């Protein structure tokens, strides 16, 4: 990611952070709509789950300028999620739900350049996570 992309991701997330509970609701509603097969993976209180999601996303976004610190955390998170039943195939709908959430939450502030920056960020980090969890084999459980 380049400096401009990092700035766009961080600035746009600052606008979403104040509506974190609503953003989490939008995210999970969209995720369960486009990937209903993931619904059984969630056993905890969804408000609590949403708070964890937004906190983790916030930490990752804040740390984008220090990938040496963020990457190992993301890798550990990915390996942990394998135990919850997450597969490499789940990363695509998660990314789509994230982009939908940002577009819904930011409206006109989610322009093409900002969307491209988020796509790059998600693709980069999800690639690292899938490699850590599945050794780079898509679809492997």
């Amino acid at each position: 990611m380049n400096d401009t992309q990092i700035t766009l991701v961080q600035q746009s997330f600052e606008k979403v952070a104040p509506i974190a509970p609503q953003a989490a609701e939008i995210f999970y509603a969209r995720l369960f709509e486009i990937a209903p097969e993931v619904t059984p993976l969630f056993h905890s209180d969804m408000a609590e789950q949403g708070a964890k999601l937004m906190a983790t996303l916030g930490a990752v976004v804040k740390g984008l300028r220090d990938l040496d610190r963020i990457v190992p955390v993301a890798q550990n998170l990915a390996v942990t999620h394998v135990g919850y039943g997450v597969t490499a195939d789940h990363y695509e709908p998660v990314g789509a739900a994230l982009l939908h959430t940002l577009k819904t939450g930011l409206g006109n502030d989610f322009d093409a350049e900002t969307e491209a920056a988020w796509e790059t960020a998600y693709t980069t980090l999800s690639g690292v996570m899938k490699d850590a969890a599945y050794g780079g084999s898509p679809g492997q459980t």
Side-chain angles (χ1 to χ4, degrees), residues 73-86 91 129 132-134:
V73 173
Q75 290 171 323
N76 288 336
L77 187 65
V79 170
T80 301
H81 277 70
V82 171
Y84 301 144
V86 173
Y91 282 78
M129 292 173 77
Y134 314 105

Side-chain angles (χ1 to χ4, degrees), residues 51-62:
K52 288 179 186 178
L53 167 74
M54 296 306 291
T56 301
L57 189 55
V60 169
V61 167
K62 183 178 180 181

Side-chain angles (χ1 to χ4, degrees), residues 13-74:
F13 189 76
E14 286 176 15
K15 295 175 184 174
V16 173
I19 60 161
Q22 295 89 343
E25 287 177 18
I26 293 166
F27 173 83
Y28 285 112
R30 182 64 177 163
L31 179 62
F32 298 156
E33 177 185 332
I34 62 175
E37 69 276 8
V38 304
T39 305
L41 301 179
F42 294 87
H43 305 288
S44 66
D45 175 82
M46 290 309 294
E48 181 181 321
Q49 182 66 37
K52 288 179 186 178
L53 167 74
M54 296 306 291
T56 301
L57 189 55
V60 169
V61 167
K62 183 178 180 181
L64 286 175
R65 294 189 194 281
D66 188 7
L67 288 179
D68 290 340
R69 185 177 61 83
I70 294 296
V71 166
V73 173

